């Protein structure tokens, strides 16, 4: 996309949409943004542009919850594992063929949307949580570093813990904040975080926040299950398109 005006319009529309999804559901900004940006730029560039909107919106979500200290105490082993695995696996994002990166992003979107649409409701006990949280963090971090998407398997894991609504939203905010910071660190270590990209990332923050504000208002008017279904079908179709792009 060589036309600056078209690029600016696309960037605005993408982050407005991604922010709207996050405003309604409490998640989805990196997922939507990476999926759409990956259609016309390299995934490593898309991940760099994602940093500031993702960090600011997730910090907002983390800091406005009921008890940040309690959530951090409970999930710090998982967060440490996410940070380590993300920073290390980001090395691959900056080195592998962009077409393969898009395929990984597409497959991740397909797996997540299919699980969310069709997967059984799981429950994880406190004892199983303690034994598996670091493993879940390592897998989440590895996928984050490869794709810039933070949801697998962290989101299903949190949902299976039967957290209260407020604690779930805050735990997701913590996980996504740690993932964003670790992704930024990995890109910085690989010299893949450029000043120009940070400028675009800062510009993308404005439509992301506007979309999030609109989404929070929509959440009071729209049935959450209806929006969730449409959102997941959209992610599924987007994932199929990205995954198939390498083969056509």
């Amino acid at each position: 996309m060589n036309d600056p005006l078209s690029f600016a319009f696309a960037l605005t529309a993408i982050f407005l949409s991604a922010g709207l999804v996050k405003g309604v559901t409490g998640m989805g900004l990196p997922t939507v943004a990476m999926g759409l940006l990956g259609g016309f730029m390299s995934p490593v560039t898309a991940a760099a542009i994602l940093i500031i909107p993702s960090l600011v919106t997730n910090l907002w979500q983390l800091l406005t919850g009921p008890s940040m200290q309690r959530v951090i105490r409970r999930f710090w082993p998982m967060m440490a594992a996410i940070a380590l695995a993300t920073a290390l696996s980001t090395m691959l994002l900056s080195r592998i063929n962009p077409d393969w990166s898009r395929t990984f992003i597409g497959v991740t979107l397909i797996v997540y949307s299919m699980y969310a649409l069709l997967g059984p409701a799981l429950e994880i006990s406190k004892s199983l949580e303690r034994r598996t949280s670091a493993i879940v963090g390592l897998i989440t971090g590895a996928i984050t570093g490869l794709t810039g998407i933070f949801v697998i398997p962290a989101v299903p894991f949190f949902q299976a813990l039967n957290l209260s609504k407020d604690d779930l939203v805050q735990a997701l905010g913590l996980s996504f904040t740690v993932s964003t910071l670790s992704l930024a660190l990995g890109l910085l270590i690989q010299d893949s975080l450029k000043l120009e990209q940070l400028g675009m990332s800062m510009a993308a923050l404005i439509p992301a926040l506007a979309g999030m504000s609109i989404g929070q208002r929509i959440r009071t008017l729209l049935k959450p299950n209806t929006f969730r279904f449409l959102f997941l079908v959209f992610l599924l179709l987007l994932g199929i398109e990205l995954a198939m792009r390498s083969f056509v």
Side-chain angles (χ1 to χ4, degrees), residues 4 10 21 49 61 63 66 93 99 105 110 151 155 173 202 231 243-244:
V21 169
I49 294 174
Q61 181 172 329
L63 295 175
L93 181 63
D99 288 336
I105 293 171
I110 292 168
V151 295
V155 171
M202 183 66 74
F231 167 57
M244 293 298 295

Side-chain angles (χ1 to χ4, degrees), residues 7 11 15 45 49 53 195-205:
F7 180 84
L11 199 67
F15 279 94
T45 301
I49 294 174
L195 188 60
E196 177 187 2
Q197 294 164 347
L198 285 176
M200 289 188 285
S201 186
M202 183 66 74
L205 175 62

Side-chain angles (χ1 to χ4, degrees), residues 97-131:
N97 187 309
D99 288 336
W100 283 106
S101 294
R102 290 188 186 94
T103 301
F104 293 147
I105 293 171
V107 170
T108 301
L109 294 178
I110 292 168
V111 170
Y112 172 67
S113 56
M114 289 295 291
Y115 171 80
L117 285 167
L118 304 174
L122 301 177
E123 286 194 22
I124 296 176
S125 66
K126 280 289 187 74
S127 60
L128 184 59
E129 175 194 336
R130 287 192 292 270
R131 294 197 299 270

Side-chain angles (χ1 to χ4, degrees), residues 82-83 86 140-141 144 150 174-184:
I82 286 175
T86 300
T140 300
T144 297
F150 313 153
L174 174 63
S175 178
F176 297 159
T177 298
V178 170
S179 295
T180 303
L181 289 171
S182 304
L183 182 63

Side-chain angles (χ1 to χ4, degrees), residues 75-93:
F75 295 113
W76 74 262
M78 180 180 174
M79 297 305 109
I82 286 175
L84 176 63
T86 300
L88 291 176
S89 62
T90 303
M91 293 187 294
L92 294 175
L93 181 63

Side-chain angles (χ1 to χ4, degrees), residues 7-229:
F7 180 84
F9 177 80
L11 199 67
T12 299
I14 287 170
F15 279 94
L16 186 67
S17 302
L20 189 149
V21 169
K22 185 171 182 64
V24 174
T25 66
M27 54 177 284
L29 188 148
T31 309
V32 173
M34 281 299 297
L36 293 174
L37 290 172
F40 63 91
M41 65 175 63
S42 72
V44 70
T45 301
I49 294 174
L50 175 68
I51 295 297
I52 292 177
S54 178
L55 180 61
V56 172
T57 55
N58 286 312
L59 274 173
W60 180 358
Q61 181 172 329
L62 171 62
L63 295 175
T64 55
S67 180
M68 182 172 66
Q69 291 83 2
R70 184 178 70 243
V71 171
I72 291 174
R73 283 197 303 270
R74 179 171 179 177
F75 295 113
W76 74 262
M78 180 180 174
M79 297 305 109
I82 286 175
L84 176 63
T86 300
L88 291 176
S89 62
T90 303
M91 293 187 294
L92 294 175
L93 181 63
S94 60
R95 294 180 181 180
I96 62 176
N97 187 309
D99 288 336
W100 283 106
S101 294
R102 290 188 186 94
T103 301
F104 293 147
I105 293 171
V107 170
T108 301
L109 294 178
I110 292 168
V111 170
Y112 172 67
S113 56
M114 289 295 291
Y115 171 80
L117 285 167
L118 304 174
L122 301 177
E123 286 194 22
I124 296 176
S125 66
K126 280 289 187 74
S127 60
L128 184 59
E129 175 194 336
R130 287 192 292 270
R131 294 197 299 270
T132 59
S133 63
I135 298 171
V136 172
L138 288 172
I139 298 171
T140 300
I143 294 173
T144 297
L146 281 170
T147 66
I149 294 173
F150 313 153
V151 295
I152 295 289
V155 171
F157 177 78
F158 285 129
Q159 291 172 335
L161 297 179
N162 289 321
L163 300 170
S164 69
K165 180 181 178 181
D166 288 339
D167 283 345
L168 175 60
V169 170
Q170 192 163 38
L172 290 172
L174 174 63
S175 178
F176 297 159
T177 298
V178 170
S179 295
T180 303
L181 289 171
S182 304
L183 182 63
L185 177 62
L187 291 171
L188 192 62
I189 291 171
Q190 295 301 306
D191 196 28
S192 298
L193 196 57
K194 308 296 184 184
L195 188 60
E196 177 187 2
Q197 294 164 347
L198 285 176
M200 289 188 285
S201 186
M202 183 66 74
L205 175 62
I206 298 172
L209 290 176
M212 191 171 174
S213 178
I214 295 168
Q216 288 171 338
R217 296 180 184 181
I218 291 175
R219 184 166 56 191
T220 64
L221 303 174
L222 188 67
K223 291 182 179 179
N225 288 339
T226 301
F227 184 89
R228 179 177 179 273
F229 174 78

